[in-house]
Amino acid sequence: MIEIKNVSKYFGGKRALDAVSLALPQGQIVGLFGENGAGKTTLIKCILGYLRFSGEITLDGAPISRKNIARLSFATSEHSFFPNLDATAHKEFYEQHFPQFSEKRFRGLMEFFELPKHKALRHFSTGQKNQFEVILSLCQGADYILMDEPFAGNDVFNREDFYKVLLGILEPSETVLLSTHLLEEVENFIGRAILIRRGKIVGDVSMLELEDSGKCLMDYVKETYHYKADRVSKALSELTDEQ
Amino acid sequence: MNHKKKLVHYAPPGVNLGQELGWFASGIGASLLYSLGFLFRYSREYQLLFLWDGTAKVLNTSAVMPNFVQVLGGSLDTFLVLALSMAAVAIYHYSYHYQGSKSIYLMRRLPDRWELPRRCLTLPLMGVLACLCVALLLLLIYYAVYMAFTPRACLAPYQWQKIWSVILGVGI
């Protein structure tokens, strides 16, 4: 289990995370939602140790370090592959550094998405790059797969395929933390939704709870964010009056 | 070819190693050519040790050959410049992980904490070592030339010690 206890992060004087506490048990697919700048990426980067923070983040009780970092993988819309290498060279690099790397899953996903094996990644389309980024994170053999807007730039069919494949291939012990804006798209795919706003966790709900209460994820988000449904019509009428 | 394959593991993944080695080899070549200036200076000083008696060349026994370090001058300085430029290569290797993607994220979460420094620093350090070795080899060769061809009568004493005094920055 990843436990995040009282984690705060400041950039200069600006607070990016404010005493965030969370637990991510194994075997969940968790959606992390929030506006731009809410702190989603910062939280993920803190978990991975890319950013210094105050508070504590542990993996099965131990701080996340080089000893257990292989249990976490990361897919980011910024991409973390080597643009000048091809897919096969990436596979070899991962196999060398992550002994749990699943060659079988890699082969299967590469074939499913029809990605070229001997073409440098820099020549891939944005969609293909995203797919490859996610493939690497899924094949590393990690227990916790952290994804930060992994599908930015992919078309809707592509994304839907991915959700289906994900659901099909994930082992019960694998956890996915998926940071995205695509609320409605991932609604049927995740088991838990975490809402973050201005660096604070403002909502944490299981999809079963939501289902029991008869709400959809979008309703829950709007409710939690105190979304004013009439704000668009008000703004439009004010603008029209002015004109 | 085999060596290049091995070196790939000591460079950032996907970096154009052939080009880097090519630039380095060019740098060594250029430094080597520049260092040949020693031979021209030596030859000029050597000629000054002789007087012309009609058509015969006679050694001027009262002439003194300038010290080896003076004749050498800055002939090997380009090796120092090349060695210092390896710092820029190390910086380039690190910044390479921000080019076209953020592969630094992957490098920073590898279980082997030395993988990133190894891939950024090994080749520049090898470059520095190669520069120092070639410069030292040339120093010895030029010193041997100086000692072998300079007439004993014109040779100032303590040449080897004078080299060390320059290197260590102390007077003898």
Side-chain angles (χ1 to χ4, degrees), chain A residues 188-206:
Chain A
N188 299 318
F189 157 73
I190 58 173
R192 178 182 167 195
I194 295 170
L195 308 190
I196 188 166
R197 190 180 199 196
R198 293 175 192 155
K200 276 188 171 176
I201 301 296
V202 291
D204 188 350
V205 67
S206 82

Side-chain angles (χ1 to χ4, degrees), chain A residues 50 66 78-79 81 140, chain B residues 96 101-102 105 109-110 115:
Chain A
Y50 295 149
R66 299 280 179 169
E78 293 180 280
H79 302 142
F81 50 68
Q140 186 191 301
Chain B
Y96 173 84
S101 75
K102 289 275 187 77
Y105 288 148
R109 65 179 183 82
L110 293 176
E115 186 70 14

Side-chain angles (χ1 to χ4, degrees), chain A residues 11-27:
Chain A
F11 289 114
K14 199 179 168 240
R15 190 169 51 199
L17 291 178
D18 185 5
V20 169
S21 292
L22 270 181
L24 299 172
Q26 266 186 275

